[in-house]
Amino acid sequence: MSLETPAQSQAEALPVGTPRLHLIIFAVLLVLLLIAPFVLYPVFLMKVLCFALFASALNLLLGFGGLLSFGHAAFFGSASYITAYAAKDWGLSPELAILLGTAAAAVLGLGIGALAIRRQGIYFAMVTLAFAQMVFFFAVKAPFTGGEDGIQAVPRGHLFGFIDLSSDLTLYFVVLVIAFGGLLGIYRIIHSPFGQVLKAIRDNEPRLISLGYKVQRYKLAVFVMSATLAGLAGATKALVFQLASLTDVYWTMSGEVVLMTLLGGMGTVFGPLVGAAALVTMENYFAGLGAWVTVLQGVIFVASVLLFREGIVGVIARLTKKSL
Amino acid sequence: MIEAFEPAPDTRGEIILSARDLTKRFAGFVAVNGVNLNVERGTIHALIGPNGAGKTTCFNLLTKFLQPSSGTIHFNGRNITNLPSADIARLGVVRSFQISAVFPRMSVTDNVRIALQRRRGDSFDFWRSQSVLSAFDDEALRRVDEVGLSEFAHVMAGDLSYGRKRALEIATTLALEPEMMLLDEPMAGMAQEDVTRISALIRKISANRTILMVEHNLSVVADLSDRITVLARGEVLAEGSYDEVSRHPGVVEAYIGASHE
């Protein structure tokens, strides 16, 4: 028995073809990225890729889990330091150094996450910021981080012992595999049964508890995943620039990645990529403006919050009525 | 505080949920004070009372969204006083909320499906495609149809009208097939036509389950409930059928004092 007129309009159209649209966008993106290093400077592109992965990792937590971390530099930076140290002082091969840095970020994420998820909203953000500051001071004071100098001249080494990464172009394709793999991984996470639970937590946490979900476990799980992927981005970055420095763990790094996510469109699949590309481009090509870049970033941030809170991709998604 | 409480609530088979001496103190204020409540299996039991009587606090205590300061809660004879909310839901006591509780950025069908998804146990499989969830699609659509929302099946829940959100909320709750449902003001803020619709829905779903509801709309309460507990200032004022409680002098006073002046 239906209490309203039984609906005839099954034609109310499922958003059919959305996964297909995403597949097409990913394919086009991949083709462009394969051509790009022959047109643009590979180190710049690698930076974009690392930050696209970093911002997507944050977006997994913020846009899909509804948790704003203001301390993601802790994971990005510590992975960067550990990868740099492992590659330089222990002479580890690049793949092992990256793995070690990423694993360290995962462990750190488990520790910080377990404590941070006990609080909500602004308090959650503050707890993550506080822990990130602790990691920052550790990086300043610890004997093996090189203090203000950081760890410089990190050898890129030979991937699997035989692929020489000293050429930017070779390294670019390795970074492309890592970053693209990471992005596809995130895409799968948000379109998994786990991802459904995440979105429900973001939308209405008490309601999900009332349905019998133990939300704390899911929040911790997504926090660790996000920290791990942020670590992967930081570890890769250390090899690209052959450098781990205090910038990587400083709070402004946490702020910048939040800005990338917001500017591109949080809760969208492709927003963080666009946001990362936009901000990295600004930093690189407007570098001549000096401190004015920061002012420009501030203006963009204010404008994006006031005028298009959904972010660039969010606005496009609304106008085209497609899920992006 | 200690008073004779002869029939141990958990030995009488027909009591599904019982609260004994339930008390909640906030700093300097007792919101719920020594409430005893027995809900019989298969009935619609209403919890009424003037604003600030502690009805919603009571609800939050029963589902452990708040921790009682003292007192015990039994469900099916099992002491659930110290269980976390999610475990109480897993035992079959599922609540609704005063403000409509949907997942606004998920489609209507996905809202129901997230409840059905509980049957898989935990969903930590982040590596698997969500297409494994399409096994629940048919049932989700059926549940959506059941509450008259099938033409909105693929609409974002946040875009529904208020009354339809409440209907969706009930569909989501029903998907868990709970033994007992706790509805917190299901008619709050509804237009009359929605009230009629949701009333009929509640009557329909009460067929083989127990319902405890907080409700302000007294005609709905009179119409639906088998038994009524009246709360005032955190304490039980009266209990009985609608006719009994409506003749109770304390209830008349509490209501006239609170709502007509």
Side-chain angles (χ1 to χ4, degrees), chain A residues 66-140:
Chain A
L67 297 166
L68 170 59
S69 162
F70 210 74
H72 254 44
F75 312 117
F76 184 81
S78 51
S80 170
Y81 269 106
I82 284 169
T83 299
Y85 191 83
K88 190 178 178 186
D89 288 60
W90 293 342
L92 249 55
S93 61
E95 69 277 7
L96 284 181
I98 288 180
L99 220 68
L100 199 65
T102 308
V107 173
L108 193 64
L110 186 64
I112 295 180
L115 293 166
I117 57 160
R118 292 159 189 251
R119 292 287 171 270
Q120 301 197 320
I122 189 75
Y123 301 103
F124 173 86
M126 288 299 117
V127 171
T128 53
L129 174 61
F131 278 113
Q133 286 304 90
M134 283 163 61
V135 173
F136 172 74
F137 284 113
F138 182 80
V140 173

Side-chain angles (χ1 to χ4, degrees), chain A residues 229-250:
Chain A
L229 289 156
L232 179 62
T236 310
K237 195 238 77 172
L239 284 191
V240 171
F241 290 96
Q242 304 182 275
L243 171 73
S245 74
L246 289 175
T247 319
D248 302 338
V249 274
Y250 199 43

Side-chain angles (χ1 to χ4, degrees), chain A residues 1-15 19 60 62-64 66 184-222 225 265-268 323, chain B residues 65 84-87 89-90 93-97 100-106 110-111 113-118 120-133 141 145-155 164 168-170 172-173 176 193 197-198 200-201 204:
Chain A
M1 167 192 123
S2 176
L3 296 159
E4 265 188 354
T5 1
Q8 322 83 341
S9 46
Q10 221 47 295
E12 182 69 32
L14 264 162
L60 174 63
L62 173 61
F64 294 94
L184 289 177
I186 290 171
Y187 185 81
R188 172 41 65 88
I189 293 172
I190 60 186
H191 293 92
S192 70
F194 176 78
Q196 283 293 309
V197 178
L198 272 192
K199 289 170 212 165
I201 292 177
R202 172 195 68 192
D203 276 13
N204 196 334
E205 187 177 333
R207 177 51 169 164
L208 199 64
I209 296 172
S210 81
L211 295 178
Y213 283 92
K214 298 182 185 273
V215 296
Q216 294 298 80
R217 297 182 190 173
Y218 290 90
K219 282 159 96 173
L220 182 58
V222 71
M225 286 176 205
M266 71 172 188
T268 64
S323 153
Chain B
F65 274 73
S85 301
D87 284 331
R90 288 172 181 214
V93 187
V94 179
R95 66 166 296 174
S96 74
F97 293 82
S100 74
V102 297
F103 303 107
R105 288 164 71 189
M106 297 169 74
D110 283 357
N111 264 261
R113 209 174 63 170
I114 200 82
L116 296 171
Q117 196 181 328
R118 278 272 302 107
R120 315 171 69 232
D122 285 325
S123 284
F124 287 106
D125 41 353
F126 61 85
W127 58 89
R128 200 168 279 149
S129 162
Q130 63 186 0
S131 58
V132 297
L133 299 178
L141 279 171
D145 185 46
E146 213 171 36
V147 298
L149 288 178
S150 46
E151 59 182 305
F152 304 99
H154 303 294
V155 172
R164 294 198 170 105
L168 172 58
E169 194 186 335
I170 289 175
T172 308
T173 306
L176 292 174
E193 76 170 76
R197 203 152 54 86
I198 301 292
L201 188 59
K204 183 178 139 201

Side-chain angles (χ1 to χ4, degrees), chain A residues 139-150:
Chain A
V140 173
K141 297 287 180 195
F144 53 86
T145 52
E148 298 282 339
D149 300 331

Side-chain angles (χ1 to χ4, degrees), chain A:
Chain A
M1 167 192 123
S2 176
L3 296 159
E4 265 188 354
T5 1
Q8 322 83 341
S9 46
Q10 221 47 295
E12 182 69 32
L14 264 162
V16 189
T18 300
R20 198 187 322 143
L21 175 67
H22 290 172
L23 201 67
I24 293 169
I25 296 177
F26 271 122
V28 170
L29 202 61
L30 185 60
V31 170
L32 289 177
L33 286 170
L34 285 170
I35 302 169
F38 302 102
V39 184
L40 294 162
Y41 181 45
V43 173
F44 162 73
L45 289 170
M46 287 190 275
K47 189 175 176 189
V48 171
L49 284 174
C50 288
F51 277 97
L53 178 57
F54 187 20
S56 297
L58 183 87
N59 186 43
L60 174 63
L61 188 66
L62 173 61
F64 294 94
L67 297 166
L68 170 59
S69 162
F70 210 74
H72 254 44
F75 312 117
F76 184 81
S78 51
S80 170
Y81 269 106
I82 284 169
T83 299
Y85 191 83
K88 190 178 178 186
D89 288 60
W90 293 342
L92 249 55
S93 61
E95 69 277 7
L96 284 181
I98 288 180
L99 220 68
L100 199 65
T102 308
V107 173
L108 193 64
L110 186 64
I112 295 180
L115 293 166
I117 57 160
R118 292 159 189 251
R119 292 287 171 270
Q120 301 197 320
I122 189 75
Y123 301 103
F124 173 86
M126 288 299 117
V127 171
T128 53
L129 174 61
F131 278 113
Q133 286 304 90
M134 283 163 61
V135 173
F136 172 74
F137 284 113
F138 182 80
V140 173
K141 297 287 180 195
F144 53 86
T145 52
E148 298 282 339
D149 300 331
I151 302 175
Q152 300 184 5
V154 176
R156 286 178 178 174
H158 290 69
L159 187 69
F160 305 124
F162 66 93
I163 305 172
D164 185 1
L165 297 182
S166 55
S167 141
D168 281 345
L169 199 60
T170 316
L171 185 63
Y172 173 81
F173 287 105
V174 175
V175 172
L176 179 58
V177 169
I178 292 172
F180 212 77
L183 294 176
L184 289 177
I186 290 171
Y187 185 81
R188 172 41 65 88
I189 293 172
I190 60 186
H191 293 92
S192 70
F194 176 78
Q196 283 293 309
V197 178
L198 272 192
K199 289 170 212 165
I201 292 177
R202 172 195 68 192
D203 276 13
N204 196 334
E205 187 177 333
R207 177 51 169 164
L208 199 64
I209 296 172
S210 81
L211 295 178
Y213 283 92
K214 298 182 185 273
V215 296
Q216 294 298 80
R217 297 182 190 173
Y218 290 90
K219 282 159 96 173
L220 182 58
V222 71
F223 194 91
V224 173
M225 286 176 205
S226 176
T228 308
L229 289 156
L232 179 62
T236 310
K237 195 238 77 172
L239 284 191
V240 171
F241 290 96
Q242 304 182 275
L243 171 73
S245 74
L246 289 175
T247 319
D248 302 338
V249 274
Y250 199 43
W251 66 269
T252 52
M253 181 62 82
S254 301
E256 203 173 312
V257 75
V258 171
L259 176 54
M260 287 173 181
T261 308
L262 290 183
L263 179 65
M266 71 172 188
T268 64
V269 173
F270 300 101
L273 279 61
V274 173
L279 282 191
V280 172
T281 306
M282 260 173 51
E283 274 165 26
N284 272 41
Y285 288 88
F286 299 156
L289 297 176
W292 286 99
V293 174
T294 320
V295 176
L296 194 60
Q297 277 184 2
V299 171
I300 290 181
F301 185 57
V302 171
S304 72
V305 168
L306 289 180
L307 301 176
F308 53 109
R309 290 168 64 177
E310 306 135 287
I312 298 169
V313 173
V315 169
I316 297 174
R318 177 162 51 83
L319 295 179
T320 58
K321 295 189 168 54
K322 295 264 193 298
S323 153
L324 295 171

